[in-house]
Structures are given as C-alpha cells and as structure tokens.
C-alpha cells in the first residue's frame, strides 16, 4: 500500500475527508545537520498541530509525530482483520522492543518490562516489595501525587513509616539537594524513593550520589524517571538505582498508555508483580511484570516508530533544543516585573515554571487559555505556585514570542 492509499484508508476509517489528513504527508527527509532551524521546521511538519491552540503543556503527555500515528493506524487496521490471530500471534513481539528500549536507557534487556505508564511501573515496585511494620521509606513532599498516595496506602495498610523530605527548590546547589535525603536516612530505612526530574518545576535531582549512599547501607532505591526518558540522557546502570519507572507517551512521543519498568537484575526476584504471573514464570524473570491480560498490542508495537523518530533526531540534539527553548522564553519572561522563576538555571532541561505575583496559578492558566488560546499547566503543590511552560520539539521561537506578548499584557 503506498502512502496516499494508506492515508485514504485512514481517512475512510476515521470518517474524515482525505484533504483533512493529507497534511500528514511530509515525505521529504530531514535536512542536513547544519541547517538547524530547517531541521526543526521539518520536525514540526511531522506533528499534527491544533489549528488555534498554542500547546505549552507537553509535559503531561506528548502528541505522536506522523510516523507513530501511521504505525498505530496500520497496526490497528491489520489487527482488526483477525485480532486473536494477527494481534496475538503475529504482532506481539516484545523482545525486539525490549532490546531497543534497554539500549536507550543504559539497561540490559532482561531488566526492562513493557507496561502502560510510570504509575503502573512504580506502583508495581511500591506494592511489590516485602516491607514490615516499622520499616522506613524516605520520600519527598515534591514527589508525584500518585506515588505519594501509593506509599500512604502502604503506610495505612502495612504500618510502614514514611519519612518526608522537603527539598530547597529551586536550586543549582547539588549538596543542598542531597543533604535533606541523607539526613532522613536511618538504620530502619529500607527504601529511598526519588524523582529525577520533578514535574512541578523541572528541577533535576542528581540521583547518582544518593543511590550510591543507599546501596552502601542496603537501602532499595526507586527512581521516578517519568519525565526524564527521551528528554535528557538516562542511564540506569550509571544512575545505580534498583528500580525505575518511565512514561513513553511523554518525551518519546510513543502512543498513549505506554511505559517501561526497569529493575536491576539482582533485585527482580525481591519484587512481587502486581498481577500474579503464571507458575512457570521464574521469579527472576522481568517478564513477570507484563502479565496483565488483554492489552493493545498495536499501541505497544507502535513504540518502535517512536524510537525510530527519536533516533533520527538523537538524544543530545533533542535535549539541547528543549533546553534552548526553555532558556529563550524564560530569560525574557524574567525581565518582566512580577515574574520569578521556580526552575533552576543549570539543573533543568525543557520544562520550567514561573510564579507571577498577584495571580493564582489556576486563574492565570484559565486566563491565558481563554484570552490568548495558550495552554499551560497550573502548579500548586508542596508550596510551589505558578504556571508551568512545556514546549516540545515542534514549538517555534515565534510561538514562545506569543507567550511572552501575553505575559507582557497581563493585567
Ligand atoms: C514525576 C511523575 N511521575 C509519574 C507520573 C505519572 O505518569 P503516567 O501518567 O504516565 O503514569 C508523572 C506524570 O506526569 C510525573 O510527572
């Protein structure tokens, strides 16, 4: 099937006129490595864009570029011809995906399980570890709410003790970030829960020194890397953590509802899976975390197209671009009166949060949406209040100028 026939089939399936989806057709290859703005214009042309909304909330979830959408539709079409045969017998090829994902995050394929999101990955570990009443878990007030809820449920159910850390956010001082964690560790600490790239403000926590310290004391380390993977370089072996959770529908731009769980090989046997694995599955086998029942194999398999797209750009170039976009708008926003950054200069990448004096976060986010059609995230958590701006690879500098104009005109 050629591209046009394929798109016509998709249009028919979606009940949309062909002309409406024809703009997904961008067969030209990416320009050479020297034409930087041309290159990003090509990247942009690969994304389906909203006709009027300026989407600066790409942190929660990312759109899929055209090759991912095409792969997804192609796989769905094929699967629906005979799901029990095509989807289960032909499409369900997890091993090549496992290998490619492992190569992207400094892990061994035998340490990677394919799951639906970071929540599933991290909660498998939070609920899967054997802990006794009185055992202590160290975590931060700024960790993600679902993980906090999971730990609180264990506290209520199993009598474990949670020791809370307050991080001095924002900061570029690594020692200041590490100190509160180190001070909270006691001989009773069994688990250290860390968030590598904090969703509220984009603060990066250098986890390596903390995991090294924890390992010396026999403490299990979990890293929430939901926002890190495919945004900044991730290397779980170098990070030295025991487990980590990742969302692939964020910065990798993979289909919605895709994620991965990393567990260091030696520690797999210690963790019970959330959904019991069949008896013939060895406790040391990472695949025990994939026993879920029916799930969308087209969704899972289209991850491969997202990896292709990611590799076409390259991690270093992607991080540099996302950082450049953040620096571009933030430096100018900080010249305006009433605006203060909640994001550090150095320990950050593409995502940043500003506080605007006199504005409640949700009121400001609503105002920007209603008045200027700009979508941002209201942040009001753990004492951090502001709006989070999250551009993506398809965001242009002129789009950020539109944001700056709106900020300048704030009443
Ligand atoms: C730090 C952090 N952890 C976990 C999650 C949960 O991710 P998911 O919705 O993919 O489960 C998010 C989502 O934004 C997050 O920012």
């Amino acid at each position: 099937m050629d591209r046009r026939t394929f798109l016509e089939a998709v249009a028919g399936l979606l009940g949309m006129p062909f002309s409406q989806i024809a703009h997904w057709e961008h067969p030209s290859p990416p320009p050479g490595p020297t034409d930087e703005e041309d290159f990003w214009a090509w990247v942009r042309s690969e994304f389906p864009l909203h006709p009027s909304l300026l989407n600066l909330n790409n942190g929660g979830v990312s759109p899929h570029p055209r090759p991912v959408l095409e792969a997804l539709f192609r796989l769905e079409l094929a699967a629906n011809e005979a799901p029990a045969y095509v989807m289960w017998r032909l499409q369900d090829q997890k091993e090549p995906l496992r290998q490619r994902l492992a190569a992207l995050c400094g892990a061994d394929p035998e340490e990677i399980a394919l799951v639906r999101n970071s929540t599933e990955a991290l909660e498998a570990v939070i609920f899967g570890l054997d802990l006794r009443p009185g055992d202590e878990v160290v975590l931060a007030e700024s960790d993600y709410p679902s993980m906090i809820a999971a730990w609180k449920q264990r506290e209520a159910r199993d009598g474990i003790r949670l020791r809370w850390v307050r991080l001095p956010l924002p900061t570029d001082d690594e020692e200041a970030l590490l100190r509160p964690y180190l001070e909270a560790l006691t001989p009773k600490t069994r688990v250290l829960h860390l968030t590598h790239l904090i969703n509220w403000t984009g603060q990066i926590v250098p986890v390596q020194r903390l995991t090294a310290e924890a390992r010396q004391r026999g403490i299990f380390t979990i890293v929430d890397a939901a926002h890190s993977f495919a945004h900044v370089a991730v290397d779980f072996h170098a990070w030295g953590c025991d487990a980590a959770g990742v969302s692939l529908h964020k910065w990798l731009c993979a289909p919605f509802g895709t994620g991965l769980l990393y567990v260091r090989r030696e520690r797999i046997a210690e963790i019970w899976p959330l959904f019991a694995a069949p008896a013939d599955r060895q406790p040391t086998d990472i695949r025990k975390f994939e026993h879920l029942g029916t799930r969308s194999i087209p969704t899972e398999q289209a991850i491969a197209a997202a990896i292709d797209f990611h590799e076409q750009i390259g991690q270093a170039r992607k991080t540099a671009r996302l950082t450049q976009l953040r620096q571009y708008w933030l430096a100018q926003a900080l010249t305006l009166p009433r605006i203060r950054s909640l994001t550090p200069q150095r320990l950050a990448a593409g995502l940043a949060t500003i506080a605007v004096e006199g504005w409640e976060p949700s009121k400001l986010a609503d105002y920007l949406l209603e008045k200027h059609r700009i979508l941002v995230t209201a942040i009001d958590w753990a004492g951090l209040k502001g709006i989070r701006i999250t551009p993506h690879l398809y965001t242009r500098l002129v789009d950020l100028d539109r944001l700056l104009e709106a900020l300048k005109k704030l009443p």
Side-chain angles (χ1 to χ4, degrees):
M1 202 191 270
D2 67 17
R3 184 183 300 273
R4 190 182 169 93
T5 322
F6 167 75
L7 287 174
E8 276 169 355
V10 171
L13 199 73
L14 298 177
M16 289 161 73
F18 173 71
S19 58
Q20 218 172 312
I21 64 161
H23 68 276
W24 288 352
E25 218 175 350
H26 294 288
S28 55
T34 49
D35 315 310
E36 204 55 21
E37 285 309 316
D38 284 357
F39 179 80
W40 295 113
W42 167 76
V43 168
R44 177 177 168 85
S45 74
E46 292 290 75
F47 282 89
L49 299 168
H50 193 279
S52 64
L53 194 76
L54 173 54
N55 182 9
L56 294 176
N57 177 5
N58 292 284
V61 64
S62 293
H64 322 334
R66 179 191 53 82
V68 177
L69 281 168
E70 285 185 8
L72 194 56
F73 288 139
R74 202 171 48 242
L75 288 155
E76 280 287 356
L77 278 173
N80 278 280
E81 287 171 2
Y85 177 71
V86 177
M87 189 166 86
W88 285 345
R89 290 213 200 174
L90 305 182
Q91 290 182 342
D92 195 2
Q93 306 289 337
K94 289 190 173 46
E95 300 315 312
L97 267 185
R98 199 185 309 286
Q99 281 168 17
R100 293 189 73 190
L101 288 168
L104 285 179
C105 61
D108 187 285
E110 291 301 317
E111 298 172 318
I112 299 292
L114 289 158
V115 296
R116 290 169 296 180
N117 49 48
S118 296
T119 307
E120 183 175 316
L122 294 164
E123 296 206 15
V125 182
I126 293 172
F127 289 114
L129 280 166
D130 278 327
L131 294 173
R132 294 202 199 92
D135 283 350
E136 291 182 1
V137 174
V138 169
L139 69 170
E141 290 170 352
S142 45
D143 287 327
Y144 196 68
S146 310
M147 306 324 133
I148 289 181
W151 280 120
K152 283 190 169 166
Q153 187 167 306
R154 281 217 76 170
E155 182 183 43
R157 191 171 178 182
D158 301 327
I160 62 166
R161 180 151 181 244
L162 302 183
R163 287 181 72 94
W164 296 95
V165 161
R166 174 166 291 188
L167 299 178
L169 303 176
T171 183
D172 276 317
D173 178 352
E174 297 192 13
E175 295 303 322
L177 282 170
L178 306 186
R179 210 173 300 121
Y181 282 113
L182 296 176
E183 284 171 5
L185 300 180
T186 76
K188 289 188 181 165
T189 311
R190 296 283 167 267
V191 182
L192 174 60
H193 181 108
L194 302 166
T195 302
H196 176 252
L197 199 157
I198 297 175
N199 57 297
W200 311 116
T201 62
Q203 171 84 51
I204 292 176
V205 175
V207 293
Q208 212 157 326
R209 279 195 36 212
L210 291 167
T211 56
E213 183 66 34
R215 194 183 291 196
Q216 272 184 12
R217 303 184 193 202
I219 297 168
F220 192 100
T221 48
I222 303 177
V223 175
D224 180 340
H227 263 291
S228 317
F229 186 82
H231 181 181
V232 295
V234 164
D235 186 333
F236 291 135
H237 284 173
W239 287 10
C241 53
D242 291 313
V246 161
S247 306
L248 300 175
H249 45 229
K250 290 190 190 288
W251 298 95
L252 187 67
C253 303
F256 308 134
T258 52
L260 73 80
L261 164 65
Y262 162 81
V263 184
R264 194 152 66 85
R265 216 176 183 145
E266 307 88 272
R267 312 237 43 175
I268 296 171
E270 283 170 56
I271 305 169
W272 294 90
L274 268 184
F275 299 94
D280 60 352
R281 184 66 82 200
Q282 294 300 315
T284 51
D285 188 345
I286 191 78
R287 294 164 192 79
K288 70 183 179 182
F289 297 109
E290 292 170 351
H291 190 71
L292 181 66
T294 306
R295 94 260 309 261
S296 169
I297 302 303
T299 295
E300 204 168 85
Q301 287 298 316
I303 295 171
I307 298 175
D308 291 342
F309 189 73
H310 173 81
E311 287 178 342
Q312 225 173 340
I313 299 170
Q315 183 63 69
R317 198 177 193 182
K318 196 165 163 180
T319 308
R321 175 64 171 182
L322 293 169
T323 304
Q324 179 206 6
L325 293 175
R326 189 248 312 167
Q327 289 169 338
Y328 177 83
W329 74 263
L330 186 56
Q332 295 181 70
L334 290 177
T335 64
L336 302 174
R338 299 192 286 162
I339 293 188
R340 187 166 54 86
S341 178
L342 300 180
T343 302
Q345 294 260 353
R346 187 176 61 84
L347 290 175
L351 183 156
T353 303
I354 47 170
V356 183
E357 202 185 302
W359 279 93
E360 273 303 305
S362 60
K363 290 248 163 38
L364 181 51
D366 288 349
Y367 176 84
L368 288 172
L369 186 59
E370 281 155 27
K371 179 93 178 153
H372 297 281
R373 300 287 290 150
I374 300 177
L375 182 71
V376 302
T377 325
I379 299 291
D380 194 348
W381 181 262
L384 301 161
K385 275 170 168 278
I387 51 165
R388 189 184 76 185
I389 310 296
T390 320
H392 210 308
L393 298 177
Y394 63 85
T395 312
R396 299 166 301 185
L397 299 180
V398 291
D399 296 326
L400 297 171
D401 292 339
R402 181 170 151 196
L403 166 74
L404 289 162
E405 277 311 305
L407 291 175
K408 268 183 209 155
K409 289 188 195 136
L410 278 182

